[in-house]
Amino acid sequence: MHTVSILAYDRMSGFESGLAAEIFGMTELSEAFSAGIARPWYTVRLCAETPEIGMIGGATLTTPYGLSDLAAADTVIIPSVRDVNVPPSPELLEAIRAAHDRGARLVSICSGAFALAAAGVLAGRSATTHWIYADLLRTRHPMVTVDPAPLYVDEGSVLTSAGCAAGLDLCLHLVRSDHGAKVANDVARRLVVAPHRAGGQAQFVDSPVPEPTTDGRIAASMEWALEHLDRPITLDEMAGRSSMSRRTYLRQFASATGTTPIKWLIEQRIQASLALLESSSLSIEQVAARVGFESPVTYRHHFGRSVKTTPSDYRNCFAERSA
């Protein structure tokens, strides 16, 4: 089974490590997968430098897993660091490097990028962290290309995410990469969260909490659009569903989501197509039409920009995994 080791440290918040443990340690999914319904699920281990650590709020965490278990995992998650101004211990950095040298997948959430950078595994790569730490990470580690905008950055074997909630998006992205869109969507439904927010979505929005009436109207238009992805949808239609002028709708949509209606629609069409590519025998042309693209050429163009591969190669990849 694929082992996911999550770093725990003294005075940590339980949120970052907890969200990763919740996703990769879902008991009911683990039982279903081990029964042969699908590929094996994950084994989760909380690893710490000492057997017992204190957490924010007065709780005490006791774990039998140490840094040697962290280094031996298939996926290593550094949920954050205690203090960005204090260098990680040499022992932790050695464990991260050992995991990297073995070919493990390294993942950071929020300030955890500082530990990966200090271990040298981010040198020459693009990475992100919480926007309030971006300048410090860039100054301290000039060999890292720090991008404060996206929710997460996937560099293959090394992945980084922004603030704590963005770690949820990144963990779902990992499940999607390992098990496909259908399973990732099932996990999202169990957590009652959005099934997919693209890594390139802005992590900082000028008005993260819009006026309730506006937010409700924007949400209603988005829900309507999701129900009609199989046909062309215009900006004027979405604005009309919100009872707003085109100009007001554009402004309010950007305020609520950090993107534009057109970009959001394209991403939703792409995501809707993934399950069809994975589980149906529809041709690429049929998939494109089913999710509302005006032509296969347009579909392939946007698919390549979003997923960094072609629809055919994506389908072949998941066909190989199923085999």
Side-chain angles (χ1 to χ4, degrees):
M1 296 181 71
H2 187 109
T3 302
V4 177
S5 287
I6 306 166
L7 177 69
Y9 57 87
D10 194 51
R11 296 293 297 166
M12 76 176 297
S13 162
F15 181 65
E16 299 99 317
S17 61
L19 67 87
E22 172 69 18
I23 289 177
F24 297 112
M26 283 188 167
T27 305
E28 60 272 39
L29 281 180
S30 179
E31 292 173 351
F33 276 63
S34 63
I37 295 176
R39 298 176 65 210
W41 198 239
Y42 307 91
T43 296
V44 176
R45 295 174 177 171
L46 287 175
C47 304
E49 295 190 48
T50 58
E52 186 175 290
I53 62 170
M55 302 180 70
I56 292 176
T60 299
L61 171 68
T62 302
T63 177
Y65 302 112
L67 292 183
S68 60
D69 299 290
L70 188 82
D74 299 301
T75 294
V76 173
I77 299 180
I78 310 297
S80 56
V81 295
R82 178 176 179 179
D83 187 342
V84 296
N85 295 307
V86 177
S89 71
E91 292 78 13
L92 174 58
L93 298 183
E94 182 180 349
I96 293 173
R97 294 187 189 108
H100 179 65
D101 291 343
R102 285 182 42 256
R105 182 169 57 186
L106 304 181
V107 179
S108 71
I109 299 173
C110 195
S111 61
F114 284 82
L116 296 187
V121 300
L122 290 182
R125 300 177 185 267
S126 294
T128 193
T129 185
H130 194 293
W131 59 270
I132 65 173
Y133 298 132
D135 288 341
L136 179 60
L137 182 64
R138 184 183 295 111
T139 300
R140 189 173 296 168
H141 301 282
M143 295 298 292
V144 181
T145 302
V146 180
D147 186 350
L151 293 175
Y152 57 85
V153 174
D154 183 344
E155 284 278 291
S157 62
V158 183
L159 304 92
T160 53
S161 71
C164 302
L168 184 61
D169 297 292
L170 178 52
C171 289
L172 285 172
H173 170 70
L174 294 175
V175 173
R176 180 182 295 272
S177 299
D178 291 344
H179 294 284
K182 184 177 180 180
V183 174
N185 290 343
D186 185 33
V187 172
R189 281 192 296 270
R190 292 167 187 263
L191 295 174
V192 196
V193 298
H196 180 78
R197 290 198 298 170
Q201 182 171 325
Q203 63 167 286
F204 180 73
V205 182
D206 289 337
S207 301
V209 184
E211 291 295 326
T213 54
T214 299
D215 182 49
R217 288 185 290 169
I218 294 294
S221 71
M222 295 169 76
E223 183 177 356
W224 173 83
L226 289 174
E227 294 173 353
H228 297 83
L229 286 179
D230 59 339
R231 70 170 184 80
I233 298 173
T234 67
L235 177 59
D236 288 333
E237 283 182 303
M238 294 186 70
R241 289 281 166 176
S242 298
S243 300
M244 298 181 192
S245 69
R246 181 189 182 102
R247 184 173 181 179
T248 299
Y249 183 77
L250 281 170
R251 183 175 66 252
Q252 297 292 355
F253 193 99
S255 177
T257 67
T259 187
T260 68
I262 299 304
K263 290 181 179 178
W264 177 82
L265 263 177
I266 290 172
E267 185 61 31
Q268 300 314 304
R269 295 187 193 281
I270 293 296
Q271 294 308 314
S273 77
L274 298 183
L276 295 176
L277 291 172
E278 294 173 21
S279 60
S280 78
S281 59
L282 295 174
S283 67
I284 301 302
E285 290 74 15
Q286 290 172 318
V287 170
R290 185 74 63 89
V291 297
F293 280 101
E294 60 185 20
S295 73
V297 174
T298 302
Y299 171 54
R300 290 187 176 94
H301 168 73
H302 289 298
F303 193 97
R305 293 186 62 179
S306 176
V307 189
K308 310 303 182 187
T309 187
T310 66
S312 296
D313 285 346
Y314 181 90
R315 167 173 275 171
N316 291 337
C317 176
F318 276 93
E320 292 173 3
R321 292 180 183 179
S322 298

